[in-house]
Amino acid sequence: MDVGFLFDLRNPAQWERPWADHYARSLELCEEADRLGANGVWFTEHHLFPDGYLPQPLTFAAAAAARTRTVRIGTAVTLPALRAPAHLAEEAAVVDLISGGRLELGMGAGYRKPEFDLVGADHGRRFAETERVIAEVQRLWREGGITPLPLQDPVPLWGGFYGPRGARIAGRLGIGLLHISPEMFRHYRDGLVEGGHDPASARVSDLLPVLLADDPDAAWSRVAPHLAHQMNSYRQLSVQGTDAPPPPLLEPGEFRDRREEGPWGALEIMTPGEAAARIRERTQGLPVQHLIFWASVGAMPDDLVTRHLELVSRELAPLLDKVPAGA
């Protein structure tokens, strides 16, 4: 199982850095992940977030590709329903070429209505449009419908879906499922069969809400305000543009560490040994390829970020190497 880091480029007002400095520092962290031996750096997409959540992941991916040598360059996820198929196919091909064939293109349906309104897309048809655009990107690459073509043939594609409908879409398209869930995996396999794909080609990956620290208890008090910002922004902005009332704000003290049992919490701060045991439990029986971790949670302190990168790359990864994928 490969390990990598997801960058959302949030820069909240209460911890804000000059934007050019913030982007430069994030690229330095991509280089550091590459130097440490991580397997991937991944970029995600939202629009109109007050904290500047990254709106154009493939643009940033191109910059990261030029600054790194071995890490895979991924999106987790970009939103096809907001783009013309040829635009997405061309932009992704350029990133693949710049990276020397390291692109992992993760795509999802999105959920925020204002993001669809911003570009005049139909929020109500987001799943159908996502499937249509992905299929058209595949066709354009397969038939040489854009130039230049990506270096990889094929580029690894992923569907970032968390429900049965999306899991079946990923299967029908013959792409990976960017979600680790035994329940959704069944729907994904059904989709593979429906699309005429070999079920043995199934592959899954996911973003895990896990942060590594030498002293998890000490790290919690420092990370909690940043986690509260992250969770509140998701909760508040997810209902923007709808008739649903805004949910109440969460306070830092409301988050509980659930390392011992139960599903993943909003975030779990662990040592590498604890994380390896939990990951082994949660991935059992699934063909897992990539494990993705937040590079930073809500612009948390730099020393925690750099140590987290070190612990995942240098200490957790060897422990995972001892666990066969799908064991």
Side-chain angles (χ1 to χ4, degrees):
M1 289 182 280
D2 291 344
V3 298
F5 300 99
L6 182 72
F7 294 79
D8 60 14
L9 278 293
R10 289 174 180 267
N11 192 17
Q14 57 269 50
W15 304 291
E16 186 172 324
R17 290 172 167 163
W19 274 102
D21 294 347
H22 181 56
Y23 270 53
R25 174 58 177 156
S26 297
L27 286 171
E28 289 173 353
L29 291 172
C30 292
E31 290 181 292
E32 179 69 0
D34 194 34
R35 185 188 69 80
L36 289 167
N39 305 108
V41 290
W42 300 72
F43 309 100
T44 181
E45 175 177 352
H46 270 302
H47 300 267
L48 305 175
F49 268 50
D51 62 11
Y53 199 119
L54 180 63
Q56 296 296 336
L58 283 167
T59 303
F60 199 88
R67 296 274 290 266
T68 57
R69 292 293 176 266
T70 62
V71 289
R72 302 294 293 176
I73 306 292
T75 58
V77 294
T78 192
L79 306 178
L82 304 187
R83 292 170 173 80
H87 181 174
L88 180 56
E90 290 176 342
E91 192 174 11
V94 168
V95 175
D96 195 52
L97 290 166
I98 291 171
S99 68
R102 290 183 281 138
L103 179 65
E104 302 272 339
L105 186 62
M107 295 164 282
Y111 59 90
R112 291 193 64 235
K113 189 173 185 301
E115 298 180 341
F116 287 77
D117 294 342
L118 179 66
V119 298
D122 187 345
H123 179 263
R125 288 186 47 79
R126 61 192 182 278
F127 282 96
E129 277 298 288
T130 296
E131 184 170 11
R132 181 188 72 82
V133 173
I134 295 173
E136 180 64 5
V137 168
Q138 291 175 306
R139 186 194 68 79
L140 288 167
W141 285 344
R142 184 174 61 250
E143 299 179 3
I146 59 106
T147 58
L149 290 170
L151 183 60
Q152 297 180 98
D153 182 18
V155 173
L157 302 184
W158 297 89
F161 301 109
Y162 286 83
R165 181 179 181 182
R168 291 184 74 98
I169 288 173
R172 283 200 300 269
L173 292 167
I175 65 179
L177 179 63
L178 202 57
H179 182 39
I180 294 174
S181 164
E183 180 183 358
M184 291 306 110
F185 186 72
R186 291 193 291 273
H187 296 286
Y188 170 55
R189 282 179 58 91
D190 289 344
L192 285 169
V193 173
E194 182 182 341
H197 306 287
D198 184 355
S201 68
R203 52 196 169 90
V204 299
S205 297
D206 206 353
L207 170 64
L208 303 183
V210 173
L211 179 70
L212 298 191
D214 295 299
D215 185 343
D217 292 330
W220 260 108
S221 61
R222 300 180 64 200
V223 174
H226 300 268
L227 177 61
H229 167 81
Q230 178 173 289
M231 296 303 297
N232 282 327
S233 68
Y234 280 134
R235 286 159 53 88
Q236 297 285 313
L237 294 174
S238 67
V239 300
Q240 193 177 45
T242 74
D243 295 331
L249 293 176
L250 301 170
E251 297 296 330
E254 294 184 48
F255 296 101
R256 296 177 60 187
D257 185 1
R258 296 189 289 174
R259 284 180 289 172
E260 299 302 324
E261 59 185 17
W264 294 118
L267 182 71
E268 300 194 19
I269 306 182
M270 307 181 186
T271 64
E274 291 171 327
R278 282 282 272 154
I279 290 167
R280 183 181 300 114
E281 171 196 336
R282 296 304 299 273
T283 60
Q284 186 173 9
L286 297 175
V288 178
Q289 286 194 358
H290 303 286
L291 297 175
I292 307 169
F293 303 84
W294 290 107
S296 175
V297 175
M300 69 190 196
D302 269 0
D303 64 303
L304 294 177
V305 173
T306 55
R307 185 57 176 152
H308 169 59
L309 266 60
E310 292 171 352
L311 291 172
V312 170
S313 302
R314 292 284 175 84
E315 298 193 21
L316 176 62
L319 294 175
L320 295 174
D321 284 343
K322 299 175 183 178
V323 183

